[in-house]
């Protein structure tokens, strides 16, 4: 584990998917149908879903933008 896996929220530290166990599956599901993802896991419990270090390490800028766009659609 290194500093890329630990973030600090305003009131507490948080650990992010240290072993990237579900990064690929999570991002594929968000791209496919983010509403289905939020039916399984409420949006408020996933506020850091796009902060998993895996996304920056394994995805292109275009792929990251597609994920952020899909995520934003769920807020509409």
């Amino acid at each position: 584990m290194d500093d890329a896996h630990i973030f600090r929220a305003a009131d507490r530290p948080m650990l992010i998917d240290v072993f990237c166990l579900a990064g690929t599956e999570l991002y594929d599901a968000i791209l496919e149908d983010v509403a289905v993802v939020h039916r399984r896991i409420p949006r408020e419990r996933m506020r850091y879903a796009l902060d998993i270090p895996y996304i920056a390490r394994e995805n292109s800028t275009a792929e990251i933008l597609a994920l952020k766009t899909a995520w934003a659609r769920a807020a509409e």
Side-chain angles (χ1 to χ4, degrees):
M1 184 164 55
D2 60 27
D3 291 344
H5 295 101
I6 301 174
F7 292 83
R8 183 168 303 280
D11 59 344
R12 68 196 180 292
M14 56 186 174
L15 206 52
I16 305 295
D17 196 12
V18 178
F19 301 105
C20 299
L21 295 176
T24 301
E25 293 85 2
L26 174 62
Y27 295 140
D28 287 346
I30 289 169
L31 288 170
E32 186 175 316
D33 192 343
V34 72
V36 171
V37 174
H38 289 307
R39 279 196 293 276
R40 293 186 67 202
I41 307 170
R43 184 179 176 84
E44 63 273 5
R45 293 189 60 208
M46 294 187 67
R47 65 180 170 245
Y48 304 110
L50 300 186
D51 292 338
I52 297 172
Y54 171 88
I55 190 173
R57 194 173 54 246
E58 299 294 328
N59 296 84
S60 69
T61 303
E63 290 167 326
I64 293 169
L65 180 59
L67 278 167
K68 289 181 178 184
T69 299
W71 191 258
R73 277 195 310 269
E76 296 174 354

